[in-house]
Amino acid sequence: MKISNSWLREWVNPKLTTQELADQITMAGLEVDGIEKVAGDFSGVVVGEIVACEQHPDADKLRVCKVAGHPDGEMQVVCGAPNARIGIKIPFALVGAKLPGDFKIKKAKLRGVESFGMLCAQTELELGEDNDGIWELPEDAPTGTDLREYLQLDDETIEVDLTPNRSDCLGVAGIAREVGVLNRCAVQGPEVVSVPQQIDESLPVSLLAEAACPRYVGRVIRNIDIKAVTPLWMQERLRRSGLRSIDPVVDVTNYVLLELGQPMHAFDLEKLSGGIKVRMAEAGEELTLLDGQEVKLQEGTLVIADEEKPLAMAGIMGGLDSSVTEGTQHIFLESAFFSPLAIAGKARSYGLHTDSSHRFERGVDYHLQEKAVERATQLLLDIVGGEPGPVHVRELTETMPAERHITLRRAKVELGLGIKLADDEIVDILTRLGLEKIDQNDEGWTFLAPSFRFDIAIEADLLEELARVYGYNRIPSESFTAELEIAPRPESTIAQDNLEQTLLSRGYYEAITFSFIDSDSAALFDPEADPVALQNPISAELAVMRTTLLPGLCKALQYNLNRQQNRVRLFETGLRFVPGAELHQEQMIAGLAYGNRFAENWTGSKDSVDFYDVKADVEALLARTGVADEFRFVAGQHSALHPGQTAKIMRGDREVGVIGALHPQLQKKLDLAKPAFVFELSLEAIGQGKAPAFRPLSKFPEVRRDLALLIDADVPAANLVEAATEAAGETLTDLKIFDVYQGKGIDLNRKSVALGLTFQHSSRTLNDEEINAAVDAVVGKLEEKYNASLR
């Protein structure tokens, strides 16, 4: 929000420079982004008046003007502006004047006619965006007065970047209140008095969306002069706050918004049918907004309507059909309190963001509406005249925000802030902030939060206010000591850091992606799930909560490929959100591999990564648990993965993860030239392992026997390992598959699997009979269970 320094100092004027003031409110939580001059650097420009104007003898587009305002009398100026004419007051740059850009005005000759100065447009003085002609000043502008002095341009604009909780400072009144509290200065705004009614006319108001709009204030004003000109002082204040002047009625509503922080709107009374209805939009209703945009209203959108049609999107933007125009004579002025929850996110869902929605979705003082209407009426009567009716207030007491009583304990102040404040100082700070002390006892106080502070609700909020106003820089830095009991962590618990380090050591890089994804990606990767949609998404690309980490990793892969990184290894740890009767959050670890198996080097092959490379990475993770034998890979199906290259990761009978190649159709949609391999595991499921235990090494030799077995092609190799381990007995210390063959010399429905069995005893040397018996038991078991035969 931008605010004029001179305007602020009319309310409160501490003995501080602008920079010191900016530093002070920044330290108090109202961060100042910058300070800018309100006008360009220029000098030697005065208020001039064109007293004569003739066509240039040798140029159709030039005029020769006599201009008053120079100390030495009238001066001749050649001007090309189409609006140059007798009687208007304009900025007159004298010979010797300096304009923005270090441009110096000199005596010149234009098509043979001498020119002593320059008549300026707004843009040439960096005082606005109007470049269609010379800037026409008010008729009462004193001729010959220095323009900087006349417009009070020795001023700065302070830009304040407010956090969402400080909606009370979205107006000059709110910031002035803060400055007054910080400096113990009196705050003196304009006096707002009740404007007596001159006519007995009002519109009936029905509040049909009770919780969304419990308070609505309106006033009829008849016989205004819409052609009146907004005073220059008001135009300047609007400009310095980043708003342009439109017409007197709109300018006044914008001015009150900037001054008090209360958004307002004015309807053309003649364009309204019957009374005002504040209700929710109905399906299919349409509205043309003030900016000309036609919108189809969504159900759940709060609207201001009359008996026939919607007039405005409540708290966001008015409609074009009921707006004030050049022919308007009678207006209906409105000011309302809308619940922040009713407005939050609605503007963004239509692709809009307005000054009104910015304030209403953060919270507007729910006792401010009458004051805003009275202030706007005062200003309108001074500018456009008119006959005001009574102020009509419609309020639903039962749905208005409840009063907030907050208890502050003395002991909590010192404990929470680390300093001891006197009782008088505590009460003084909080009452100057607008809180009302309603009770006091030996333990502390009870305060009533003001209606303009939506962010004050609990004791901690009061502590924050005390620290902020007292001054963070005044609170001493101290080292606190405390006895902390460290909770034991079982050795069987696998730390997440250990799992991450395992992947890092295998060439993966950690990625951090949003927990929110777009609905299209959610449907691609997990079409069976119905993800939870956000009520107030940051953007359409972050509209739903992810049910898997894979979309974020694939998006990160695309990002890297677009930047010529053709070998990618990424992993991420984070939450996935599983919808159900209650939203279930599950901590996951996921990874992705794409491109060549090895980084480019003179000894490495250029083979692409495959399923078994990623499976080895997952097995390395599972090995960290110390109970890798409890996990197994089972052929499975996943909608986002290749039907022939997908495996479920099981721990006992529980599925704890999945691994596989992206489905070819998904690979095509992601525009990937090569297959990408992914995995995803539940951290909770693999986080519990087995504590390491010492086992003495055997001093006796080990014996290895290799078996080549013919089995049916559809028998999983893991089944062979399980059965062979069971049959081999306790002396088997290692079993591995070291070869699989299908092809020439073997039945098409069979395959050859080579097993390597290692035997060893801890206390003696095994003899051949024992080894042979174990091998025979393995062969017999496999023959019986899987029709295996020795090759």
Side-chain angles (χ1 to χ4, degrees):
M1 189 189 84
K2 292 183 177 180
I3 181 173
S4 163
N5 181 42
S6 62
W7 191 5
L8 175 63
R9 289 183 183 272
E10 287 185 8
W11 285 69
V12 58
N13 192 15
K15 295 180 179 178
L16 299 173
T17 66
T18 305
Q19 186 60 55
E20 289 171 342
L21 179 61
D23 293 342
Q24 183 188 61
I25 62 176
T26 296
M27 283 299 298
L30 312 181
E31 182 180 355
V32 174
D33 275 352
I35 301 172
E36 296 180 354
K37 295 181 178 180
V38 300
D41 289 326
F42 64 85
S43 61
V45 181
V46 300
V47 176
E49 180 181 0
I50 300 177
V51 295
C53 185
E54 299 177 354
Q55 184 67 42
H56 191 289
D58 296 322
D60 293 339
K61 294 185 178 181
L62 296 180
R63 290 176 175 80
V64 181
C65 303
K66 292 287 186 182
V67 183
H70 194 285
D72 295 335
E74 297 174 0
M75 290 290 169
Q76 178 174 285
V77 179
V78 178
C79 175
N83 61 329
R85 63 188 186 277
I86 296 174
I88 62 173
K89 301 285 184 71
I90 37 77
F92 178 23
L94 309 177
V95 173
K98 289 185 178 180
L99 301 188
D102 200 23
F103 178 66
K104 189 172 182 179
I105 302 298
K106 300 178 181 178
K107 186 173 81 169
K109 222 178 227 191
L110 299 176
R111 293 287 186 93
V113 178
E114 288 187 318
S115 179
F116 300 89
M118 174 179 171
L119 309 185
C120 304
Q122 282 186 348
T123 53
E124 290 165 333
L125 299 174
E126 296 182 0
L127 285 172
E129 300 177 358
D130 188 358
N131 196 32
D132 294 336
I134 51 178
W135 184 15
E136 298 186 25
L137 300 174
E139 295 179 359
D140 60 356
T143 303
T145 302
D146 184 272
L147 189 68
R148 297 192 73 90
E149 180 183 339
Y150 170 59
L151 296 178
Q152 299 180 358
L153 296 179
D154 293 326
D155 185 18
E156 300 92 6
T157 293
I158 303 172
E159 185 170 2
V160 185
D161 184 14
L162 297 171
T163 51
N165 64 311
R166 293 308 307 270
S167 59
D168 60 299
C169 290
L170 286 168
V172 177
I175 296 182
R177 182 168 50 236
E178 285 289 303
V179 173
V181 170
L182 295 172
N183 294 281
R184 299 179 183 271
C185 292
V187 178
Q188 186 64 48
E191 184 181 1
V192 180
V193 296
S194 296
V195 178
Q197 68 181 72
Q198 297 179 25
I199 58 174
D200 188 16
E201 181 180 358
S202 61
L203 289 185
V205 175
S206 301
L207 303 182
L208 305 180
E210 298 179 356
C213 177
R215 198 162 199 269
Y216 189 95
V217 178
R219 184 174 220 168
V220 172
I221 303 178
R222 284 196 173 272
N223 301 318
I224 65 169
D225 179 12
I226 195 66
K227 295 182 181 179
V229 178
T230 302
L232 188 60
W233 63 265
M234 182 178 288
Q235 293 186 39
E236 270 297 292
R237 287 185 174 178
L238 293 174
R239 180 186 72 82
R240 296 176 197 189
S241 299
L243 300 179
R244 63 185 181 89
S245 175
I246 298 175
D247 64 54
V249 175
V250 175
D251 289 351
V252 165
T253 58
N254 283 338
Y255 184 84
V256 173
L257 175 141
L258 293 173
E259 183 179 69
L260 302 180
Q262 171 68 51
M264 301 184 68
H265 187 66
F267 296 105
D268 188 324
L269 186 63
E270 299 298 311
K271 298 175 182 177
L272 306 184
S273 300
I276 295 292
K277 292 185 176 182
V278 185
R279 59 174 174 82
M280 293 297 177
E282 299 172 359
E285 285 189 311
E286 296 182 352
L287 178 65
T288 302
L289 300 176
L290 284 171
D291 60 1
Q293 178 183 349
E294 294 184 5
V295 295
K296 192 169 185 178
L297 296 173
Q298 307 164 4
E299 290 187 48
T301 299
L302 188 65
V303 297
I304 310 297
D306 59 15
E307 299 292 342
E308 298 179 355
K309 60 190 179 301
L311 305 172
M313 291 173 65
I316 300 174
M317 187 180 292
L320 185 63
D321 294 339
S322 58
S323 64
V324 174
T325 61
E326 292 180 355
T328 298
Q329 292 183 310
H330 318 294
I331 63 172
F332 176 69
L333 199 61
E334 66 151 22
S335 177
F337 169 70
F338 302 118
S339 168
L341 291 178
I343 307 300
K346 289 296 186 294
R348 201 156 39 243
S349 68
Y350 290 94
L352 299 170
H353 180 78
T354 65
D355 288 328
S356 292
S357 67
H358 186 80
R359 286 161 173 79
F360 277 125
E361 64 188 9
R362 286 160 173 76
V364 171
D365 183 355
Y366 49 85
H367 289 156
L368 187 59
Q369 291 70 45
E370 287 175 86
K371 181 178 180 180
V373 168
E374 295 287 7
R375 176 62 171 155
T377 304
Q378 283 179 336
L379 294 169
L380 284 171
L381 295 185
D382 290 341
I383 300 169
V384 298
E387 301 167 356
V391 175
H392 179 58
V393 181
R394 183 80 173 90
E395 180 176 298
L396 302 176
T397 308
E398 62 277 9
T399 54
M400 286 287 286
E403 291 185 344
R404 288 154 289 148
H405 293 177
I406 309 161
T407 298
L408 177 64
R409 294 164 289 176
R410 287 184 177 84
K412 198 68 175 178
V413 174
E414 186 171 0
L415 181 64
L417 302 183
I419 57 174
K420 188 171 183 179
L421 295 179
D423 289 2
D424 292 346
E425 187 169 12
I426 292 173
V427 174
D428 178 60
I429 289 174
L430 295 179
T431 52
R432 283 189 290 118
L433 283 168
L435 288 96
E436 180 185 347
K437 187 181 75 170
I438 58 176
D439 189 28
Q440 180 174 351
N441 54 41
D442 294 339
E443 293 186 358
W445 309 265
T446 299
F447 291 94
L448 174 65
S451 57
F452 53 82
R453 289 298 297 270
F454 283 78
D455 59 323
I456 297 180
I458 59 176
E459 186 178 38
D461 297 330
L462 299 185
L463 294 178
E464 180 185 0
E465 293 301 300
L466 289 173
R468 196 173 60 80
V469 176
Y470 179 78
Y472 295 122
N473 55 334
R474 295 176 60 193
I475 298 176
S477 298
E478 295 183 4
S479 298
F480 290 93
T481 59
E483 293 184 5
L484 300 177
E485 184 177 343
I486 301 175
R489 191 177 81 179
E491 287 189 75
S492 60
T493 300
I494 312 302
Q496 181 177 314
D497 287 349
N498 291 341
L499 298 174
E500 293 174 351
Q501 287 299 323
T502 299
L503 291 176
L504 290 170
S505 67
R506 298 181 73 85
Y508 284 76
Y509 291 87
E510 184 175 13
I512 300 175
T513 66
F514 280 108
S515 297
F516 313 129
I517 59 175
D518 62 281
S519 54
D520 291 340
S521 294
L524 282 176
F525 285 87
D526 196 0
E528 292 84 9
D530 184 16
V532 176
L534 301 180
Q535 291 185 351
N536 186 19
I538 299 172
S539 69
E541 294 182 350
L542 303 170
V544 298
M545 303 177 80
R546 65 185 179 190
T547 58
T548 170
L549 274 59
L550 299 183
L553 288 176
C554 288
K555 189 171 183 180
L557 169 63
Q558 290 178 302
Y559 186 89
N560 279 271
L561 292 176
N562 290 338
R563 285 152 183 81
Q564 301 177 319
Q565 302 300 311
N566 297 319
R567 183 179 183 273
V568 180
R569 302 288 189 278
L570 296 172
F571 80 90
E572 180 177 13
T573 57
L575 291 171
R576 71 167 183 153
F577 305 89
V578 184
E582 291 185 1
L583 182 64
H584 174 62
Q585 300 182 97
E586 187 175 10
Q587 191 77 12
M588 307 294 288
I589 183 168
L592 177 147
Y594 179 90
N596 291 344
R597 176 175 290 126
F598 302 109
E600 185 177 9
N601 65 84
W602 64 279
T603 62
S605 69
K606 294 185 179 180
D607 296 339
S608 295
V609 67
D610 62 20
F611 177 91
Y612 295 101
D613 293 316
V614 179
K615 181 171 179 283
D617 296 331
V618 173
E619 288 175 333
L621 282 178
L622 302 180
R624 297 302 296 260
T625 66
V627 287
D629 55 334
E630 294 184 8
F631 297 89
R632 56 197 172 91
F633 295 81
V634 179
Q637 298 292 324
H638 190 286
S639 55
L641 302 182
H642 194 296
Q645 297 187 59
T646 301
K648 295 185 292 185
I649 304 170
M650 309 293 293
R651 185 172 190 176
D653 296 330
R654 177 186 175 189
E655 182 179 342
V656 299
V658 67
I659 180 174
L662 287 184
H663 196 287
Q665 293 181 355
L666 181 54
Q667 177 185 332
K668 184 177 180 181
K669 287 182 179 179
L670 297 177
D671 196 23
L672 302 179
K674 298 179 180 180
F677 296 88
V678 297
F679 66 85
E680 187 170 26
L681 291 159
S682 167
L683 274 175
E684 180 271 330
I686 67 173
Q688 292 300 319
K690 181 180 179 182
F694 173 73
R695 186 176 64 185
L697 297 175
S698 176
K699 300 178 181 179
F700 299 92
E702 61 182 26
V703 180
R704 171 165 170 158
R705 294 290 175 86
D706 293 345
L707 299 176
L709 300 164
L710 291 174
I711 62 172
D712 293 340
D714 60 353
V715 176
N719 291 7
L720 291 181
V721 172
E722 183 180 356
T725 302
E726 181 183 347
E730 295 181 354
T731 57
L732 181 71
T733 58
D734 189 26
L735 190 156
K736 63 181 64 177
I737 296 176
F738 63 87
D739 186 49
V740 178
Y741 173 73
Q742 285 180 286
K744 186 177 180 181
I746 297 179
D747 188 333
L748 293 176
N749 296 320
R750 305 275 281 178
K751 63 183 176 183
S752 172
V753 178
L755 300 179
L757 298 91
T758 302
F759 299 91
Q760 188 181 36
H761 199 282
S762 60
S763 60
R764 60 185 175 83
T765 301
L766 294 173
N767 57 43
D768 288 344
E769 290 79 9
E770 292 174 307
I771 300 298
N772 291 337
V775 172
D776 290 342
V778 170
V779 173
K781 183 76 170 180
L782 296 180
E783 182 179 2
E784 173 191 347
K785 199 167 185 178
Y786 299 112
N787 192 27
S789 61
L790 286 172
R791 182 179 173 188

